[in-house]
Amino acid sequence: MTIQRTEPSVTAGERTMLEGWLDYHRETLAIKCEGLDDARLRTASVPPSELSLLGLVRHMAEVERIWFRKVLVDDDQGPIYFSEEDPDGEFHLTEADTWEEARGTWQEEIAIARRNAEGFALDDVGKAVHRRAGEAPSLRWIYTHMIEEYARHNGHADLIRERIDGTIGY
């Protein structure tokens, strides 16, 4: 399967552009994982770091859930992979953790994120308070933050993928 990635129009309206860049970065992370088996996807970047491509996908599933469920619509389903006892649980992988499960969970959270965002204008604020800011962020802020989050982690994914098999590119 070859993942297609579409760069947003340079003349799109604001919402279309924000959603386009977010999808672009979602697709970029998927491309970085493409063609690797579970063992390679679990390969840590550089010891002692546990950062891996599979861990990044699991992390982004959590991030999608937090911002588009918990904060935007106040639907706190709880974490998927982490806990109070293991706040970085999405990065703590075992042999039982698979691409199939992580990808499916991530894609499900993306689909829910899209559905939840449909009911909001860019200036509408979420229904839950941001724990650090002390106020509910707008959908525009959430989109901007998500683009930043994916872009940062896609940089990590670039380096991890190059270390695994030499594949480079953006």
Side-chain angles (χ1 to χ4, degrees):
M1 173 174 98
T2 301
I3 298 162
Q4 298 298 312
R5 184 174 62 173
T6 305
E7 198 165 309
S9 165
V10 297
T11 59
E14 182 181 15
R15 184 175 187 134
T16 300
M17 190 168 297
L18 288 169
E19 290 173 346
W21 278 112
L22 181 53
D23 283 341
Y24 177 88
H25 283 290
R26 288 167 170 156
E27 293 159 0
T28 298
L29 183 55
I31 288 169
K32 290 299 167 182
C33 297
E34 190 172 41
L36 296 176
D37 62 19
D38 287 347
R40 287 179 147 190
L41 288 166
R42 286 190 295 266
T43 301
S45 56
V46 178
S49 174
E50 294 181 272
L51 193 62
S52 66
L53 290 170
L54 191 60
L56 287 173
V57 168
R58 288 165 42 121
H59 175 68
M60 293 314 299
E62 294 279 17
V63 172
E64 295 273 359
R65 178 178 276 222
I66 289 166
W67 288 106
F68 289 104
R69 281 196 195 204
K70 184 177 180 179
V71 175
L72 188 62
V73 300
D74 197 21
D75 176 24
D76 188 358
Q77 295 292 311
I80 305 164
Y81 302 109
F82 71 86
S83 65
E84 284 187 31
E85 298 78 32
D86 188 5
D88 293 321
E90 66 266 40
F91 297 111
H92 300 150
L93 305 174
T94 69
E95 294 294 316
D97 296 313
T98 67
W99 169 245
E100 183 177 353
E101 183 283 322
R103 182 188 178 285
T105 299
W106 178 46
Q107 293 303 307
E108 180 180 338
E109 291 301 326
I110 289 170
I112 292 167
R114 287 183 178 127
R115 282 194 307 271
N116 287 348
E118 284 176 358
F120 287 78
L122 290 177
D123 289 330
D124 290 345
V125 295
K127 298 187 184 301
V129 172
H130 181 282
R131 63 182 170 85
R132 289 187 307 264
E135 60 185 326
S138 69
L139 178 60
R140 177 184 289 104
W141 189 94
I142 292 170
Y143 277 152
T144 303
H145 173 68
M146 290 297 293
I147 292 164
E148 175 272 331
E149 182 90 9
Y150 270 102
R152 179 167 29 102
H153 290 312
N154 283 338
H156 299 136
D158 283 338
L159 295 171
I160 296 168
R161 181 64 190 251
E162 185 175 4
R163 181 176 183 273
I164 290 170
D165 68 359
T167 299
I168 58 172
Y170 61 94

